[in-house]
Amino acid sequence: MSAVLQPGQVPGTGATGDTSRSPAAVSGARLVLRRFARNRLAVIGLAVVVLFLLFCFAGPFLYVTKQTHTDLAHVNLAPGAGHLLGTDAVGHDELGRLMYGGRVSLLVGLAAGLLATVIGTLWGSVAGYAGGWIEAVMMRVVDAGIAIPALFILLVVSAISTPGVRGLVVILGLVSWLVPSRLMRAETLSLKNRDYVLTLRAIGGGHGRAIGRHILPNSVSTIVVAATFQVADAILLVAYVSYLGLGVQPPSTDWGGMLSAGLTAAYSGRWWLIVPPGLAVILVVCAFNAIGDGLRDAFDVRGRG
């Protein structure tokens, strides 16, 4: 006779408490890491993200520049010994500005991506678990939101008000949670009829406990992969809005704002005002997408041998 699962017990483990230290969990984590390490593109992407985080957050302490004061005596200087990436139209050191702009882009992208993933995970898990008319209403809200382009919503909100960094995080999070919610709903539909969830419900376990102790922990792979792609999408959205002049306002900047400011100068031969921030956006977005692909392959049970 097979053993009956106790409340909170995950199949394959013998305890009802914290299962993160069980042999199965440890071996599973090692397998995921090993499969991720085999994906060279994903490892390169992770290295690129780490390097950019060090560049943007530790770099200003090693390469000190003044980004809040203009220096009209040193405007539009070409890259050289005094300024490694030259200066812009108001005398700001371009390399230092790339660091400070990267801080805003990465902070907003990471925070907005995580916020969108959290909202989408909760919404999708509740909709998939509840079923019936509740699911129908909640997913019609998602369908209606997906039908409206996120960039259009951002432009309307930015035209009404001038959001700061926190405002951008909230706005981007509120327009980007729709895709994760659909992924989480599909995952919940496949999990809510598993034996351990049905057993929990049969012995009187609440819906919140079923979602919190079984649905969400067993959807970690979907959540993590969705989060990496959401971060990449959020960084692109920040660049779009700032490129149109509706992002953070001077003296603050981000990579999209630097692209917008350097666009006209690029026609005058001042390539250093547009190439570095453009490459930074491309490299970071591609790196997060590569990490997402690597994590998706690492968590794919069908590919494990």
Side-chain angles (χ1 to χ4, degrees):
M1 181 181 297
S2 59
V4 178
L5 293 173
Q6 299 299 321
Q9 181 177 341
V10 178
T13 65
T16 59
D18 182 13
T19 61
S20 60
R21 296 181 179 272
S22 66
V26 173
S27 62
R30 290 177 179 174
L31 179 60
V32 169
L33 291 176
R34 191 182 310 121
R35 289 173 57 83
F36 182 84
R38 291 200 197 108
N39 191 323
R40 295 182 179 180
L41 191 61
V43 174
I44 293 174
L46 180 60
V48 169
V49 171
V50 172
L51 287 176
F52 267 99
L53 289 174
L54 292 175
F55 172 76
C56 295
F57 291 92
F61 295 101
L62 302 176
Y63 187 79
V64 180
T65 59
K66 295 181 179 180
Q67 296 296 323
T68 57
H69 299 84
T70 59
D71 185 3
L72 299 181
H74 300 87
V75 299
N76 296 325
L77 295 180
H83 302 278
L84 297 179
L85 285 181
T87 61
D88 61 10
V90 293
H92 291 149
D93 184 272
E94 191 71 3
L95 180 58
R97 201 147 187 82
L98 192 67
M99 296 176 184
Y100 283 99
R103 281 187 177 184
V104 176
S105 294
L106 290 175
L107 279 175
V108 173
L110 288 169
L114 293 177
L115 178 60
T117 304
V118 170
I119 297 175
T121 296
L122 295 177
W123 187 278
S125 59
V126 171
Y129 185 83
W133 67 269
I134 297 178
E135 177 189 10
V137 172
M138 294 180 70
M139 298 314 297
R140 293 300 78 75
V141 172
V142 173
D143 294 338
I146 292 178
I148 304 174
L151 185 58
F152 174 76
I153 299 176
L154 290 173
L155 292 177
V156 172
V157 174
S158 299
I160 297 174
S161 63
T162 303
V165 174
R166 295 181 179 177
L168 278 177
V169 170
V170 174
I171 294 171
L172 290 175
L174 292 178
V175 301
S176 304
W177 61 272
L178 303 170
V179 173
S181 68
R182 299 185 74 173
L183 294 174
M184 194 61 201
R185 168 187 171 266
E187 188 74 12
T188 303
L189 289 176
S190 66
L191 291 174
K192 71 175 185 178
N193 292 322
R194 298 289 178 88
D195 291 340
Y196 47 89
V197 177
L198 296 177
T199 301
L200 176 64
R201 295 173 61 183
I203 62 177
H207 301 310
R209 184 180 179 86
I211 295 176
R213 294 296 299 274
H214 292 298
I215 302 296
L216 294 181
N218 285 281
S219 304
V220 171
S221 61
T222 301
I223 297 171
V224 171
V225 174
T228 57
F229 289 119
Q230 287 303 122
V231 170
D233 291 343
I235 293 175
L236 275 179
L237 285 175
V238 174
Y240 292 156
V241 175
S242 298
Y243 179 79
L244 297 174
L246 301 174
V248 294
Q249 300 301 308
S252 297
T253 189
D254 57 63
W255 290 334
M258 294 177 66
L259 286 172
S260 178
L263 181 61
T264 56
Y267 295 105
S268 303
R270 295 190 288 272
W271 56 267
W272 59 89
L273 298 180
I274 192 170
V275 172
L279 285 177
V281 172
I282 293 173
L283 287 175
V284 171
V285 171
C286 290
F288 273 108
N289 284 329
I291 293 173
D293 288 335
L295 289 173
R296 182 178 56 195
D297 295 340
F299 283 115
D300 187 7
V301 177
R302 293 171 298 179
R304 295 180 182 178

